[in-house]
Amino acid sequence: GVHPPRWDDRVMWLTSPWRVRVILLCVFVRATVSPFVRLLAVALVKRAVIGRFKEGPKGEWAHLQYWLMKRLVGNDLCGVHTLLGRHWGGVTVALRLLGAKCGARVFWPGVLFNLVEFDLLTVGDDVVFGSRSTILGGDATDAAPVTLAAGAMVADRCVLLPGLTAG
């Protein structure tokens, strides 16, 4: 009859040089490429299904939009912010993909602010953010834009309320 493979044969099969390279490549791709692919997918779903967040009274659809975006994006832009850190250009592109209007040379925080209504955020040039802040584009009943003019500074642990314009 046929004998099952021995344990050491199985280990040698699993640890062949080709297989180890493929496994390492998969781990690398999952850690570095997957967050960007997920962000692009979320941006497409936002444009095709969820739509733009609008200023004004919130109805049932606006609450569903908020819930869906919070579930899809998470706390670190689908994992992209962890890879980019404070790199102003990369984080700016990621936020623009999700609908925010961002200027140039923005110093993004190391711990990204909580934000879901990206369409209601406008950030001017040369803005500096502290860590662990929250930007609210709306409350339970209304939504309003949050605007940070050129040269503005947001300190650590700030809460920016709907309708805020900071210079």
Side-chain angles (χ1 to χ4, degrees):
V2 176
H3 299 291
R6 295 185 342 206
W7 178 251
D8 57 337
D9 291 335
R10 290 179 184 181
V11 170
M12 291 306 292
W13 176 84
L14 185 62
T15 59
S16 69
W18 181 83
R19 229 170 236 97
V20 169
R21 281 185 286 229
V22 169
I23 290 169
L24 290 175
L25 178 65
C26 289
V27 170
F28 176 77
V29 167
R30 182 173 186 199
T32 59
V33 176
S34 293
F36 292 99
V37 171
R38 183 168 178 220
L39 179 69
L40 289 173
V42 167
L44 289 173
V45 168
K46 182 183 180 305
R47 291 182 196 277
V49 177
I50 297 171
R52 295 182 52 81
F53 288 92
K54 296 184 173 116
E55 181 179 358
K58 278 187 170 181
E60 303 236 351
W61 174 247
H63 289 287
L64 181 62
Q65 280 180 305
Y66 181 91
W67 182 81
L68 282 171
M69 280 302 292
K70 186 68 175 164
R71 294 277 183 198
L72 290 174
V73 173
N75 292 333
D76 65 346
L77 292 177
C78 304
V80 169
H81 187 262
T82 303
L83 295 173
L84 295 174
R86 292 182 176 108
H87 186 270
W88 63 268
V91 176
T92 299
V93 169
L95 289 172
R96 285 178 184 162
L97 272 174
L98 296 172
K101 294 167 222 56
C102 303
R105 300 172 307 279
V106 177
F107 183 82
W108 300 107
V111 176
L112 193 63
F113 44 76
N114 290 325
L115 175 67
V116 176
E117 299 101 336
F118 296 97
D119 301 304
L120 298 176
L121 177 65
T122 302
V123 179
D125 296 338
D126 304 310
V127 173
V128 177
F129 281 93
S131 291
R132 296 172 195 82
S133 293
T134 299
I135 299 175
L136 300 173
D139 56 20
T141 58
D142 294 308
V146 174
T147 304
L148 300 169
M153 187 274 207
V154 178
D156 293 347
R157 301 181 190 274
C158 285
V159 177
L160 307 181
L161 298 175
L164 170 80
T165 300

PDB file of all heavy atoms in Angstrom, residues 8 16 80 88 93 134 164:
ATOM      1  N   ASP A   8       9.073  14.648   8.651  1.00  0.00           N
ATOM      2  CA  ASP A   8      10.194  15.430   8.146  1.00  0.00           C
ATOM      3  C   ASP A   8      10.047  15.720   6.654  1.00  0.00           C
ATOM      4  O   ASP A   8      10.489  16.764   6.165  1.00  0.00           O
ATOM      5  CB  ASP A   8      11.528  14.764   8.454  1.00  0.00           C
ATOM      6  CG  ASP A   8      11.627  13.346   7.892  1.00  0.00           C
ATOM      7  OD1 ASP A   8      10.582  12.735   7.656  1.00  0.00           O
ATOM      8  OD2 ASP A   8      12.769  12.873   7.698  1.00  0.00           O
ATOM      9  N   SER A  16      10.598  24.583   1.671  1.00  0.00           N
ATOM     10  CA  SER A  16      11.431  24.678   0.466  1.00  0.00           C
ATOM     11  C   SER A  16      11.697  26.158   0.178  1.00  0.00           C
ATOM     12  O   SER A  16      10.864  27.017   0.493  1.00  0.00           O
ATOM     13  CB  SER A  16      10.749  24.003  -0.719  1.00  0.00           C
ATOM     14  OG  SER A  16       9.625  24.739  -1.117  1.00  0.00           O
ATOM     15  N   VAL A  80      -3.830  52.686   6.187  1.00  0.00           N
ATOM     16  CA  VAL A  80      -2.894  53.483   5.392  1.00  0.00           C
ATOM     17  C   VAL A  80      -2.155  54.494   6.266  1.00  0.00           C
ATOM     18  O   VAL A  80      -0.962  54.719   6.085  1.00  0.00           O
ATOM     19  CB  VAL A  80      -3.638  54.189   4.232  1.00  0.00           C
ATOM     20  CG1 VAL A  80      -2.766  55.216   3.557  1.00  0.00           C
ATOM     21  CG2 VAL A  80      -4.118  53.159   3.234  1.00  0.00           C
ATOM     22  N   TRP A  88       2.976  64.370   4.871  1.00  0.00           N
ATOM     23  CA  TRP A  88       1.895  65.279   4.495  1.00  0.00           C
ATOM     24  C   TRP A  88       1.287  64.950   3.145  1.00  0.00           C
ATOM     25  O   TRP A  88       0.077  65.026   2.969  1.00  0.00           O
ATOM     26  CB  TRP A  88       2.350  66.736   4.558  1.00  0.00           C
ATOM     27  CG  TRP A  88       3.455  67.085   3.613  1.00  0.00           C
ATOM     28  CD1 TRP A  88       4.790  67.042   3.880  1.00  0.00           C
ATOM     29  CD2 TRP A  88       3.336  67.501   2.261  1.00  0.00           C
ATOM     30  NE1 TRP A  88       5.510  67.414   2.783  1.00  0.00           N
ATOM     31  CE2 TRP A  88       4.638  67.704   1.762  1.00  0.00           C
ATOM     32  CE3 TRP A  88       2.257  67.730   1.413  1.00  0.00           C
ATOM     33  CZ2 TRP A  88       4.879  68.116   0.463  1.00  0.00           C
ATOM     34  CZ3 TRP A  88       2.509  68.145   0.122  1.00  0.00           C
ATOM     35  CH2 TRP A  88       3.810  68.321  -0.335  1.00  0.00           C
ATOM     36  N   VAL A  93      -3.419  62.957   0.111  1.00  0.00           N
ATOM     37  CA  VAL A  93      -4.019  62.228  -1.016  1.00  0.00           C
ATOM     38  C   VAL A  93      -5.087  61.270  -0.514  1.00  0.00           C
ATOM     39  O   VAL A  93      -6.178  61.173  -1.096  1.00  0.00           O
ATOM     40  CB  VAL A  93      -2.933  61.479  -1.823  1.00  0.00           C
ATOM     41  CG1 VAL A  93      -3.544  60.513  -2.810  1.00  0.00           C
ATOM     42  CG2 VAL A  93      -2.037  62.470  -2.536  1.00  0.00           C
ATOM     43  N   THR A 134     -10.694  65.199  17.588  1.00  0.00           N
ATOM     44  CA  THR A 134     -11.918  64.724  16.949  1.00  0.00           C
ATOM     45  C   THR A 134     -12.483  65.850  16.125  1.00  0.00           C
ATOM     46  O   THR A 134     -12.568  66.989  16.589  1.00  0.00           O
ATOM     47  CB  THR A 134     -12.944  64.269  18.010  1.00  0.00           C
ATOM     48  OG1 THR A 134     -12.374  63.202  18.761  1.00  0.00           O
ATOM     49  CG2 THR A 134     -14.227  63.791  17.360  1.00  0.00           C
ATOM     50  N   LEU A 164     -17.486  74.951  12.532  1.00  0.00           N
ATOM     51  CA  LEU A 164     -16.311  75.698  12.970  1.00  0.00           C
ATOM     52  C   LEU A 164     -15.532  76.241  11.771  1.00  0.00           C
ATOM     53  O   LEU A 164     -15.336  75.557  10.782  1.00  0.00           O
ATOM     54  CB  LEU A 164     -15.370  74.797  13.781  1.00  0.00           C
ATOM     55  CG  LEU A 164     -14.007  75.415  14.090  1.00  0.00           C
ATOM     56  CD1 LEU A 164     -14.115  76.368  15.261  1.00  0.00           C
ATOM     57  CD2 LEU A 164     -12.991  74.347  14.363  1.00  0.00           C
TER      58      LEU A 164
END
